[in-house]
Amino acid sequence: MPLWLELVIRVGGVLVAFLTLPLLVGQAEHKVMAHMQGRLGPMYAGGFHGWAQLVADGVKFVQKEDVTPREADRAVFRLAPAVALVPYLLVLLVIPLGPNDLVGQPLDIGLFFVLAVVGVGVVAVLMSAWASANKYSLLGGIRGAAQLLGYELPLVLAAASVAMAAGTLSLSGIVEAWQPWWLLWQAPAMVVFFLAGLAEIRRPPFDMPVADSELVFGYMTEYTGLRFAFFLLAEYVGIVVIAALTTVLFLGGWQGPFADAQLGWLWTLLKVFAVSFLIIWLRVSYPRLREDQLQRLCWLVLVPVSLGQLVLTAAVRVAL
């Protein structure tokens, strides 16, 4: 197969995943929240089990007027939603779906690349907050920056633990080195990575930057129509990315009960959707953390636990 054709197929596959998986997660969130909270609307839109709820939301966003505040920095204001989306697209390029290079672009330093690119999300938050010329947006942006910069540390430390255990920065290499007993050995790192990942994508209960009871809608207050929809899409893509990274790093990726390499992609997707369901469940089940609680959890709980896990992993690697 020509190199250019292989590249087109790989990038096309990633684009399809980028455009479909977040929509499936969004549809699942409507249904899960409808069942858990007794919401009737999402169960009736379009008829059978409310299949058209997501379509209705899309039509609603398209019909809304695209408003830019008069005092806003127009160029930065309009660019911010795209900046929120692009990092997640780049991350999906290097996350392996299955064995035998079933990945958009295999990298020997895939984990380093992922952690570097995910951190760019704070730029979109600051861009939208500053450019909106709104005090609530600015406060939300400052909260978001403090949260993302703080939780970046435990996220990196937890990922470093599993990379040290596997002896590689390649995401495919980590999956190949993974053993079932890592579910116990690396469990603290997995919990830290998962919670820090939720904070990175600002999902409840880590949604202080968009606290509607205090900040209207934080850094997204002035956004309407499709630009607001792009921010929501970035949130759902973030769910897919965090679920996929948790799957690849801590849950064995494509490894399953049966040693059939042809079904590896299926095991990966099943695990990703299971973790995504857990993220949705947490949104419904737990109240929003206060700002002091959020920072205390980061610096007094997650960082010490991740450092302890890193020391344990180093000790086990030396002993083995």
Side-chain angles (χ1 to χ4, degrees):
M1 180 184 299
L3 181 59
W4 67 269
L5 181 57
E6 180 181 356
L7 181 62
V8 169
I9 293 175
R10 288 178 181 271
V11 174
V14 172
L15 283 174
V16 170
F18 179 76
L19 295 173
T20 58
L21 292 181
L23 297 181
L24 293 176
V25 171
Q27 182 76 347
E29 180 168 65
H30 279 98
K31 304 308 171 188
V32 171
M33 293 181 66
H35 281 294
M36 296 183 72
Q37 297 182 328
R39 298 184 178 188
L40 299 180
M43 305 307 295
Y44 286 93
F48 176 71
H49 208 65
W51 66 269
Q53 179 63 51
L54 207 62
V55 177
D57 288 341
V59 173
K60 175 185 69 176
F61 284 125
V62 170
Q63 291 179 334
K64 285 183 176 292
E65 183 180 3
D66 183 13
V67 178
T68 301
R70 182 177 58 188
E71 301 297 328
D73 186 328
R74 292 178 177 271
V76 178
F77 182 85
R78 293 172 177 175
L79 185 61
V83 176
L85 278 170
V86 169
Y88 294 129
L89 175 59
L90 295 177
V91 169
L92 288 177
L93 280 170
V94 300
I95 296 180
L97 184 61
N100 304 319
D101 279 344
L102 190 57
V103 58
Q105 178 58 54
L107 288 179
D108 292 336
I109 56 169
L111 181 58
F112 177 82
F113 175 83
V114 164
L115 295 176
V117 172
V118 167
V120 176
V122 68
V123 177
V125 173
L126 291 175
M127 287 173 64
S128 60
W130 178 260
S132 294
N134 180 299
K135 61 182 180 181
Y136 296 110
S137 298
L138 184 59
L139 287 173
I142 294 173
R143 285 184 179 183
Q147 177 173 315
L148 270 62
L149 292 175
Y151 278 84
E152 191 76 18
L153 181 58
L155 184 80
V156 171
L157 291 174
S161 174
V162 73
M164 183 184 298
T168 179
L169 288 174
S170 167
L171 295 177
S172 297
I174 291 174
V175 176
E176 292 170 356
W178 184 86
Q179 300 294 330
W181 67 282
W182 285 20
L183 290 173
L184 295 177
W185 178 38
Q186 295 294 324
M190 178 174 64
V191 173
V192 169
F193 184 89
F194 178 73
L195 292 179
L198 286 184
E200 285 287 312
I201 60 176
R202 301 167 296 282
R203 285 283 299 184
F206 302 97
D207 59 338
M208 279 301 292
V210 292
D212 52 350
S213 59
E214 302 174 20
L215 303 179
V216 187
F217 215 60
Y219 60 92
M220 292 187 285
T221 297
E222 298 292 352
Y223 284 89
T224 59
L226 284 178
R227 299 187 196 280
F228 181 77
F230 286 157
F231 271 116
L232 293 185
L233 179 61
E235 179 178 328
Y236 287 127
V237 181
I239 293 176
V240 173
V241 167
I242 294 302
L245 288 175
T246 304
T247 295
V248 168
L249 296 177
F250 300 100
L251 300 178
W254 61 76
Q255 298 192 42
F258 308 105
D260 187 354
Q262 301 300 322
L263 294 178
W265 62 272
L266 180 58
W267 289 118
T268 300
L269 289 179
L270 288 175
K271 294 175 185 178
V272 167
F273 281 114
V275 177
S276 298
F277 172 81
L278 179 59
I279 293 174
I280 296 170
W281 176 77
L282 286 174
R283 173 181 180 176
V284 179
S285 303
Y286 287 90
R288 178 185 300 125
L289 295 175
R290 295 196 314 266
E291 186 66 26
D292 61 316
Q293 294 172 329
L294 188 145
Q295 295 296 338
R296 188 180 297 114
L297 174 65
C298 174
W299 295 106
L300 299 183
V301 179
L302 298 188
V303 171
V305 170
S306 58
L307 285 172
Q309 178 66 52
L310 201 60
V311 172
L312 173 62
T313 302
V316 173
R317 286 288 294 176
V318 171
L320 295 178

